[in-house]
């Protein structure tokens, strides 16, 4: 569960850096779920704080989330084998 929280912090940080213009690439949103669950709603805010939910994630955020979880998963499997 802690790994998912950490991935959420990573995605939130990347979103903040993109808004500041410090990461000027991968800014295009991949999808928009604001009509289903807005980031501004109570549940959306809770999910954002816990797992980094955003209703309009950018490609860089999604790639970072997946790569982070994959690297942690691979490293935990490798560590269990040794």
């Amino acid at each position: 569960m802690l790994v998912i929280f950490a991935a959420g912090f990573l995605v939130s940080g990347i979103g903040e850096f993109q808004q500041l213009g410090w990461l000027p690439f991968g800014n295009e949103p991949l999808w928009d779920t604001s009509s289903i669950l807005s980031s501004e709603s109570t549940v959306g805010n809770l999910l954002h704080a816990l797992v980094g939910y955003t209703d309009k994630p950018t490609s860089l955020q999604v790639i970072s989330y997946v790569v982070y979880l994959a690297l942690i998963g691979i490293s935990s499997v490798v560590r269990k084998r040794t």
Side-chain angles (χ1 to χ4, degrees):
M1 194 64 154
L2 186 59
V3 171
I4 294 173
F5 291 156
F9 287 133
L10 174 67
V11 169
S12 295
I14 288 172
E16 295 297 325
F17 284 136
Q18 286 179 321
Q19 287 180 357
L20 289 171
W22 293 2
L23 293 173
F25 51 90
N27 291 330
E28 62 280 347
L30 292 180
W31 61 78
D32 183 0
T33 55
S34 60
S35 61
I36 300 169
L37 179 61
S38 172
S39 290
E40 303 301 319
S41 69
T42 303
V43 175
N45 275 327
L46 180 64
L47 287 174
H48 177 73
L50 293 177
V51 295
Y53 171 78
T54 182
D55 54 7
K56 297 174 191 158
T58 65
S59 58
L60 183 59
Q61 286 175 310
V62 172
I63 290 168
S64 299
Y65 198 87
V66 170
V67 167
Y68 178 82
L69 291 179
L71 289 175
I72 296 299
I74 290 168
S75 66
S76 67
V77 168
V78 168
R79 288 187 71 188
K80 286 182 182 180
R81 289 186 180 175
T82 58

